[in-house]
Amino acid sequence: MVYCCPFIVSKLLPVLICSPSQVHLRVAKSRKIIPLNLVSIISLFTMGVQLLPYSNLIEINRQSAVPVFKQVAEGIVLLIVNEKLKPGYQLPASRDMASLLKINRTTVVSAYEELQVEGWIEVIERKGNFVAQQLPVVRPKPFEAPAVKRPGGEEYNSFYKKVASWRVSKRTLSAHQLMMNDGYPDVRLAPLDSIYDRYRFLSKRVYLHGRLLNDSAAGSMALRTELSHFLAKTRALHLDPSHVLVTHGAQLAIFIAASLILRPGSTVVVGDLNYILADRLFEQMGAKLIKVKVDENGIDVDEIERLCKKSPPDLLYIIPHHHHPTTVTLSKERRIKLLDIIRTYRLPVIEDDYDYDFHYENAPILPLASADHGGYVIYIGSISKTLAPTVRLGYLVAGDDFIRQASMFKQMVEIRGDVLFEEAVAHFFNTGEMQRHLRRSVKLYKERRDIFCDMLNSSVGDLIHFNTPAGGMAVWATFPPAYSIPDLASRLAEKGIFMNEGSLYRYNENVNGIRLGFASLNTAEMQKFIGALKECR
Amino acid sequence: MVYCCPFIVSKLLPVLICSPSQVHLRVAKSRKIIPLNLVSIISLFTMGVQLLPYSNLIEINRQSAVPVFKQVAEGIVLLIVNEKLKPGYQLPASRDMASLLKINRTTVVSAYEELQVEGWIEVIERKGNFVAQQLPVVRPKPFEAPAVKRPGGEEYNSFYKKVASWRVSKRTLSAHQLMMNDGYPDVRLAPLDSIYDRYRFLSKRVYLHGRLLNDSAAGSMALRTELSHFLAKTRALHLDPSHVLVTHGAQLAIFIAASLILRPGSTVVVGDLNYILADRLFEQMGAKLIKVKVDENGIDVDEIERLCKKSPPDLLYIIPHHHHPTTVTLSKERRIKLLDIIRTYRLPVIEDDYDYDFHYENAPILPLASADHGGYVIYIGSISKTLAPTVRLGYLVAGDDFIRQASMFKQMVEIRGDVLFEEAVAHFFNTGEMQRHLRRSVKLYKERRDIFCDMLNSSVGDLIHFNTPAGGMAVWATFPPAYSIPDLASRLAEKGIFMNEGSLYRYNENVNGIRLGFASLNTAEMQKFIGALKECR
């Protein structure tokens, strides 16, 4: 209550240390502590003494990651915003505030400095620190979504759309836990240092910043050039940089391509099962999914032909290598037939080939985009998969004009990527480091796949069904229908293993599977996982 | 012609050096050069000699940034893909290939190694290098957009949509040119080193990569926490991290918010003039723009009220601080009235406050989002503006549920940001470096604004009209209607100054202006620009 009506006393500068039972007044000049009771507070108040129990009002949490000076500054801002400190009101001298809050004086000085810069307080020389006069004092309201219906928005209970959600694990991964992910590369292999060093080096060449912004809509020209060479060599794609768009992750490439092709009511042929973030994305855009069975040879192309004969769909989304989630590869025969269908029915295709570089059995079958598709295949790849999932880089390959449209669309989504970082990755390609890294990774991942599949088979082969994948970073493991993967995940968590609950793959009641990412685990980690799996099953 | 029908000779390994007038045969074992004519070629051919003029078929450009070994490998892939080298065909030994192409032997070895890893060739011990047998040989076709009409796609001449385009400068910026941008920060001030060092440091803590992926949809928790403190202090926004979504640039935040709010046919109130990438984005989504005049006090709120009375629009997009492009700030009175309109008509608002941190006259007016808006204001800010335009970071502030929907939508767009980099930037906030950096920048930019406006006035004040902006990084300069800004840009280019042609701001025939970014120029650079402007006008 005492802090409700503070006002300025400029000649005397006392502050209160307030506790429920006992109230002390500390007079700055004499540095004497005088015990007070409520009556004397009131009399002091009438005498014009500044009454603010700062120690109660400004909470300091020494465990917090936020530096103390920031906590103090923030506390004072809240007092101002809540009108507990009014414009023109004088703050205690830093020395007094410090002893009051039991912190170092320099901490208070830093806090005041910060507040001054941000315009919350004004320093009047030889007088002290005052709450700024021109401050527009407002009462901030918590952000809250209104629950009313808007005209025309019947299907929603707010002014914005709901996005189809998927349950994700509520548990968080601690530093000491082993993570069973759904197919990430092993960041320990990626020579990220080399890329980050280059990044840091480039960032100092300040003229580059400006230069790179020029014509950056489709991504750094250096990276587009490197990618066109890399794709020519590894995938026999005939390209020049004008066919390549660099994106902030392959997902953005899918998003942009789908945005250009789909309209509300469009039909999209997808695999059954399919990469769930693609399905959800198409649905969010108002498209209708047509699900076509995926067996051990990939998607059923005869069914696609039947669909095309009836009424050509607007888009086919396909993952020919290591289909997500089931890891199967489209056979050569189906691939040839599919190319024929694409040409005949002029069927636009998004070919999501995120896993092409990781194939372990002889040479990979070339992408659809490498063959004659009449310009209907939009090809998408990922660099995140070759380096680290935190590195967000993907690319989209298509005809010149599609790339032009996609670049302009991309500008509306993100203006540009981090072109400086793209240049650093271009350098990594240019020096041959990327190819060496890929070679090492593919060799190691193949070994890991073999070890992991052997372990799985010998220890839980009776529980888990899977086929050894010909490439990629994960095994598609299915469980008996009644088996609870979330329960398994809980038991594993107790043993220090973090595994997602498989709810991402719970497409329907007939699917009870999960992707087990082997690529990021060394042998000891695999043993730990399999051992725990055996115990927790 | 000679290379049309090559076939394998395993005991003899000769190769051809072919020039139009003279043909030489070089036999590997004897290292003797034998002159040949076409008749002898044919006879050699029937003798089973391998006839491939590699030096003509594999182009090596020593000026290229692409390493020679990669050029060789790429050349061989193209020969394979074009069926000039068939499966099973033997390649010359590295020594022979090297002397043939006049390059180092180790270069050829590297190229062969690379080809082997990528599955294009097979090494048979003691025999040599052979084109792989399992290779699916296809004839790659150039990517081209089909020009046919698809059913239902009458308005397009292809299977994808056209994006509204804007002319951009075709000139490119060289390293030595001075860039007059439209309002970028000065990267020379940004302590990027500190952030990149931290980034590199974090990237080595490999456990972090996994941990950060967990619950990363809305961005790194550390950065969301830091932002909530920062926004509380600087903008009196009452927040916790659950109200903050980190995005890959503020543009993505606008894109996500608009995607959740707009449907085809929705109406959006925007300023006239307005930030063009926002206008284009809304139109791309099928929304209809309602343009409301912006004068020296900001957008005309009475007109917004009239619109709401008639038929409430679905969205208001507003830039209250330093409106883009015209740099005006919404007055306090209009702000209060607008808040009233928002609450009364439940008007959803995207408040794009990219420039808030850069205000030079007394304290900035607080954002709409800081006041009572009933949950209808989605607040957007930029970190790119405080560091460097190549650093892509922005944020969106809204109610818990909106942030949840936006996070799920964001996942469909980009899965996640570079959470490791976000952590590095969080550290930059946490140590107080961001605040120190801002303080320094604001002080310097204010000085630069004053100097720049003085210079503009005294040298070309009769040609260019402008008002000194109260904040931000650019001056909105308008020219007489008949004056050609593209011509001016061309003349400036001859003097080593890169300036965009203003076509981005050519909203209609009555607008002839350009944003002149002063913040990134030091005094000498301003003098250079103004001097050239005076000469080139």
Side-chain angles (χ1 to χ4, degrees):
Chain A
M1 262 45 53
V2 279
Y3 53 75
C4 285
C5 319
F7 62 93
I8 310 159
V9 182
S10 55
K11 36 190 187 4
L12 196 67
L13 204 77
V15 275
L16 275 175
I17 302 169
C18 180
S19 79
S21 59
Q22 198 188 21
V23 183
H24 290 273
L25 175 71
R26 191 170 158 292
V27 178
K29 288 200 178 140
S30 63
R31 313 223 158 270
K32 232 173 90 189
I33 304 283
I34 310 162
L36 282 180
N37 56 31
L38 264 176
V39 177
S40 53
I41 289 177
I42 290 161
S43 60
L44 264 171
F45 189 71
T46 56
M47 280 161 57
V49 174
Q50 169 183 329
L51 298 173
L52 258 180
Y54 284 102
S55 59
N56 274 18
L57 292 175
I58 299 174
E59 269 182 67
I60 290 171
N61 174 4
R62 285 170 200 282
Q63 262 65 56
S64 162
V66 183
V68 173
F69 84 93
K70 293 174 70 183
Q71 297 185 35
V72 173
E74 210 174 316
I76 293 173
V77 167
L78 289 186
L79 291 179
I80 295 173
V81 165
N82 293 325
E83 296 182 56
K84 288 186 178 125
L85 291 175
K86 294 205 164 152
Y89 182 76
Q90 184 172 14
L91 290 166
S94 55
R95 195 194 305 268
D96 298 315
M97 185 63 116
S99 77
L100 195 53
L101 298 178
K102 300 194 182 81
I103 56 177
N104 203 297
R105 190 189 157 193
T106 55
T107 309
V108 178
V109 171
S110 302
Y112 281 7
E113 243 177 62
E114 183 124 0
L115 290 169
Q116 190 198 338
V117 168
E118 287 161 4
W120 292 102
I121 65 174
E122 285 164 349
V123 179
I124 300 175
E125 238 166 89
R126 260 177 278 229
K127 282 200 162 175
N129 300 300
F130 295 85
V131 175
Q133 288 284 5
Q134 300 98 326
L135 213 67
V137 179
V138 290
R139 291 187 173 280
K141 300 286 163 184
F143 278 89
E144 58 202 16
V148 291
K149 282 195 184 184
R150 276 178 56 75
E154 282 71 35
E155 70 267 49
Y156 309 104
N157 67 349
S158 62
F159 64 86
Y160 51 88
K161 301 173 200 169
K162 297 291 177 194
V163 178
S165 74
W166 43 91
R167 274 199 318 131
V168 287
S169 174
K170 282 282 164 287
R171 290 189 306 278
T172 53
L173 179 70
S174 76
H176 307 291
Q177 273 185 315
L178 179 66
M179 187 188 196
M180 168 46 72
N181 58 53
D182 77 342
Y184 293 151
D186 190 340
V187 287
R188 292 169 295 199
L189 301 184
L192 293 177
D193 273 16
S194 162
I195 297 174
Y196 292 143
D197 280 350
R198 183 79 190 171
Y199 187 27
R200 196 170 172 290
F201 167 79
L202 290 175
S203 79
K204 287 182 189 166
R205 301 169 79 180
V206 288
Y207 70 88
L208 258 184
H209 287 267
R211 213 180 64 185
L212 289 174
L213 302 182
N214 192 226
D215 194 30
S216 58
S220 126
M221 188 47 84
L223 184 54
R224 294 165 70 197
T225 307
E226 287 300 329
L227 279 172
S228 62
H229 291 302
F230 177 76
L231 296 174
K233 257 186 354 198
T234 55
R235 291 147 168 88
L237 283 165
H238 265 214
L239 299 176
D240 61 63
S242 70
H243 299 107
V244 183
L245 174 81
V246 174
T247 57
H248 187 241
Q251 182 73 28
L252 181 56
I254 304 173
F255 184 85
I256 291 174
S259 296
L260 291 184
I261 298 171
L262 300 180
R263 293 168 189 74
S266 291
T267 49
V268 187
V269 173
V270 296
D272 182 12
L273 316 174
N274 189 35
Y275 175 47
I276 196 157
L277 278 182
D279 280 2
R280 290 286 157 84
L281 170 58
F282 303 144
E283 285 177 330
Q284 185 72 29
M285 290 176 175
K288 198 176 148 281
L289 300 184
I290 305 174
K291 298 192 177 196
V292 170
K293 210 79 204 150
V294 175
D295 62 26
E296 65 281 6
N297 289 312
I299 200 161
D300 182 348
V301 294
D302 293 331
E303 177 61 23
I304 294 176
E305 190 174 31
R306 271 191 294 277
L307 287 168
C308 286
K309 275 184 184 152
K310 228 171 57 188
S311 157
D314 297 294
L315 177 66
L316 163 66
Y317 170 82
I318 189 169
I319 311 166
H321 283 104
H322 326 135
H323 180 78
H324 198 287
T326 60
T327 79
V328 297
T329 294
L330 187 70
S331 73
K332 200 172 162 181
E333 294 68 33
R334 288 198 184 174
R335 182 177 166 282
I336 290 163
K337 169 126 201 212
L338 182 55
L339 279 166
D340 191 47
I341 295 170
I342 292 167
R343 285 188 305 260
T344 308
Y345 296 96
R346 298 198 179 110
L347 177 63
V349 177
I350 292 179
E351 181 176 24
D352 183 354
D353 207 12
Y354 71 108
D355 241 0
Y356 180 89
D357 296 302
F358 299 93
H359 198 84
Y360 311 130
E361 315 295 344
N362 53 57
I365 298 177
L366 286 180
L368 297 169
S370 306
D372 183 7
H373 51 74
Y376 286 96
V377 173
I378 311 299
Y379 183 76
I380 285 167
S382 169
I383 298 176
S384 306
K385 280 279 166 188
T386 57
L387 292 170
T390 53
V391 173
R392 305 303 305 155
L393 273 180
Y395 50 85
L396 183 155
V397 174
D400 286 32
D401 185 60
F402 192 91
I403 295 294
R404 247 192 313 278
Q405 308 304 326
S407 304
M408 287 187 292
F409 190 84
K410 179 175 176 252
Q411 273 195 289
M412 295 191 293
V413 179
E414 53 160 25
I415 300 186
R416 69 183 73 86
D418 184 336
V419 271
L420 214 59
F421 187 73
E422 291 170 15
E423 293 272 314
V425 173
H427 184 75
F428 189 70
F429 271 100
N430 187 261
T431 55
E433 282 175 280
M434 176 61 100
Q435 289 81 341
R436 280 196 293 280
H437 165 61
L438 269 178
R439 208 174 306 156
R440 271 195 308 269
S441 306
V442 167
K443 188 162 172 284
L444 189 64
Y445 293 169
K446 182 182 178 172
E447 286 168 21
R448 287 182 176 176
R449 177 201 62 172
D450 293 340
I451 297 171
F452 188 74
C453 288
D454 282 354
M455 284 184 181
L456 259 189
N457 243 336
S458 59
S459 56
V460 286
D462 57 323
L463 173 69
I464 294 179
H465 174 79
F466 69 95
N467 292 314
T468 303
M473 302 179 183
V475 165
W476 172 241
T478 55
F479 292 78
Y483 192 87
S484 166
I485 300 176
D487 287 354
L488 173 63
S490 299
R491 290 191 298 271
L492 285 171
E494 284 164 27
K495 296 206 175 281
I497 290 168
F498 180 92
M499 187 180 85
N500 94 51
E501 295 163 354
S503 45
L504 203 59
Y505 305 113
R506 194 94 193 150
Y507 299 83
N508 60 54
E509 64 280 9
N510 299 322
V511 183
N512 196 26
I514 187 171
R515 278 168 65 95
L516 299 175
F518 56 80
S520 54
L521 304 181
N522 61 31
T523 310
E525 289 161 344
M526 285 185 202
Q527 275 164 344
K528 186 179 171 189
F529 173 74
I530 298 278
L533 193 60
K534 216 170 153 180
E535 286 179 49
C536 297
R537 59 174 290 179
Chain B
M1 257 52 45
V2 281
Y3 54 75
C4 285
C5 318
F7 62 94
I8 309 160
V9 183
S10 56
K11 36 189 186 359
L12 196 68
L13 203 75
V15 276
L16 273 175
I17 302 169
C18 181
S19 77
S21 58
Q22 198 188 21
V23 182
H24 290 273
L25 176 71
R26 193 169 157 293
V27 179
K29 286 201 179 142
S30 64
R31 312 223 160 270
K32 233 174 87 190
I33 303 283
I34 308 161
L36 282 181
N37 57 30
L38 264 175
V39 176
S40 53
I41 289 178
I42 291 158
S43 59
L44 263 171
F45 187 70
T46 54
M47 283 160 57
V49 173
Q50 169 183 328
L51 298 173
L52 257 181
Y54 284 103
S55 60
N56 275 17
L57 292 174
I58 298 174
E59 268 182 66
I60 289 171
N61 175 6
R62 286 171 200 283
Q63 262 65 55
S64 163
V66 183
V68 173
F69 84 93
K70 293 175 69 184
Q71 295 185 37
V72 174
E74 209 173 318
I76 293 172
V77 167
L78 288 186
L79 291 178
I80 297 174
V81 165
N82 293 325
E83 295 181 57
K84 291 189 174 120
L85 292 175
K86 294 206 164 151
Y89 181 75
Q90 185 173 14
L91 290 167
S94 55
R95 195 193 306 267
D96 298 314
M97 186 61 119
S99 75
L100 196 52
L101 298 177
K102 300 197 182 78
I103 57 176
N104 204 298
R105 190 190 157 191
T106 54
T107 309
V108 178
V109 172
S110 301
Y112 281 6
E113 243 178 61
E114 182 122 3
L115 289 168
Q116 190 198 340
V117 168
E118 287 160 2
W120 291 101
I121 65 175
E122 286 164 349
V123 178
I124 300 174
E125 236 165 273
R126 263 177 276 230
K127 285 204 161 172
N129 300 300
F130 296 85
V131 176
Q133 288 285 5
Q134 300 99 326
L135 212 69
V137 179
V138 289
R139 291 189 174 279
K141 300 286 165 186
F143 277 92
E144 58 203 14
V148 292
K149 282 195 186 185
R150 275 179 58 77
E154 282 70 36
E155 71 269 48
Y156 308 104
N157 65 349
S158 63
F159 63 85
Y160 51 87
K161 300 174 202 169
K162 297 290 178 194
V163 177
S165 75
W166 42 92
R167 274 198 318 132
V168 286
S169 175
K170 282 283 164 287
R171 290 190 306 278
T172 53
L173 179 70
S174 77
H176 306 293
Q177 275 186 314
L178 179 65
M179 187 188 197
M180 168 46 72
N181 58 52
D182 77 343
Y184 294 151
D186 190 340
V187 286
R188 292 170 294 197
L189 301 183
L192 293 175
D193 274 15
S194 162
I195 297 175
Y196 293 142
D197 279 349
R198 181 79 190 173
Y199 187 27
R200 197 169 171 289
F201 167 80
L202 290 175
S203 79
K204 288 184 188 164
R205 302 170 77 179
V206 288
Y207 70 88
L208 257 184
H209 289 266
R211 212 180 64 183
L212 288 174
L213 302 181
N214 191 229
D215 192 29
S216 58
S220 128
M221 189 46 88
L223 185 54
R224 294 166 70 199
T225 307
E226 288 298 330
L227 279 172
S228 62
H229 291 302
F230 176 75
L231 297 175
K233 255 185 357 195
T234 56
R235 290 146 169 90
L237 284 165
H238 265 215
L239 300 174
D240 63 63
S242 71
H243 299 105
V244 183
L245 174 81
V246 174
T247 57
H248 186 242
Q251 183 73 26
L252 181 56
I254 303 174
F255 184 86
I256 291 173
S259 296
L260 291 184
I261 299 171
L262 299 180
R263 292 167 188 76
S266 292
T267 49
V268 187
V269 173
V270 296
D272 181 15
L273 314 174
N274 188 35
Y275 175 48
I276 196 157
L277 279 182
D279 279 1
R280 290 286 159 83
L281 170 58
F282 303 144
E283 285 176 332
Q284 185 71 28
M285 290 177 174
K288 198 177 148 283
L289 301 184
I290 305 175
K291 299 193 177 194
V292 170
K293 210 79 205 151
V294 175
D295 61 26
E296 66 279 8
N297 289 312
I299 201 162
D300 182 349
V301 294
D302 292 331
E303 178 61 23
I304 296 177
E305 191 175 32
R306 271 190 294 276
L307 288 167
C308 286
K309 274 185 183 151
K310 229 170 59 190
S311 158
D314 297 295
L315 177 65
L316 163 66
Y317 170 81
I318 190 169
I319 312 165
H321 282 105
H322 325 137
H323 180 77
H324 198 288
T326 59
T327 78
V328 296
T329 296
L330 188 69
S331 71
K332 201 172 164 180
E333 294 68 33
R334 289 199 184 172
R335 182 177 167 283
I336 290 166
K337 170 125 201 215
L338 182 56
L339 280 165
D340 190 48
I341 296 170
I342 292 166
R343 287 188 305 259
T344 307
Y345 296 96
R346 296 195 180 113
L347 176 64
V349 176
I350 293 179
E351 182 177 26
D352 183 352
D353 207 12
Y354 71 107
D355 241 2
Y356 180 88
D357 295 303
F358 299 92
H359 197 84
Y360 312 131
E361 315 296 343
N362 50 59
I365 297 176
L366 287 179
L368 297 168
S370 305
D372 183 6
H373 51 74
Y376 285 97
V377 173
I378 312 299
Y379 183 77
I380 285 167
S382 168
I383 299 176
S384 305
K385 280 279 167 188
T386 57
L387 292 170
T390 53
V391 172
R392 304 304 306 156
L393 273 180
Y395 50 85
L396 184 155
V397 174
D400 284 33
D401 184 61
F402 192 91
I403 294 294
R404 249 193 313 279
Q405 307 303 326
S407 304
M408 287 187 292
F409 191 85
K410 178 174 176 253
Q411 273 194 289
M412 296 191 293
V413 179
E414 55 160 23
I415 300 185
R416 69 182 75 86
D418 184 337
V419 271
L420 214 58
F421 187 73
E422 291 170 11
E423 293 272 314
V425 173
H427 184 75
F428 189 69
F429 271 101
N430 188 261
T431 55
E433 282 175 279
M434 177 61 100
Q435 289 80 341
R436 279 196 293 280
H437 165 62
L438 268 178
R439 208 175 305 157
R440 269 195 308 271
S441 306
V442 167
K443 189 162 170 284
L444 189 64
Y445 293 169
K446 182 182 179 177
E447 285 167 19
R448 288 181 174 177
R449 176 200 62 172
D450 293 339
I451 296 171
F452 188 74
C453 288
D454 281 353
M455 283 184 182
L456 260 189
N457 244 334
S458 58
S459 56
V460 286
D462 57 324
L463 174 69
I464 294 179
H465 174 77
F466 70 94
N467 292 315
T468 303
M473 302 178 184
V475 165
W476 171 243
T478 55
F479 293 77
Y483 192 87
S484 165
I485 299 176
D487 288 353
L488 173 63
S490 301
R491 290 191 298 271
L492 285 172
E494 285 165 25
K495 296 204 174 282
I497 291 169
F498 181 91
M499 187 180 84
N500 93 50
E501 295 163 353
S503 44
L504 204 59
Y505 305 113
R506 193 92 192 154
Y507 298 84
N508 61 54
E509 65 280 8
N510 298 322
V511 182
N512 196 27
I514 187 171
R515 277 168 65 95
L516 300 174
F518 57 79
S520 53
L521 305 181
N522 60 31
T523 310
E525 289 162 344
M526 285 186 203
Q527 275 165 345
K528 186 179 171 190
F529 173 74
I530 298 276
L533 192 61
K534 216 171 153 180
E535 285 178 50
C536 297
R537 57 175 292 183

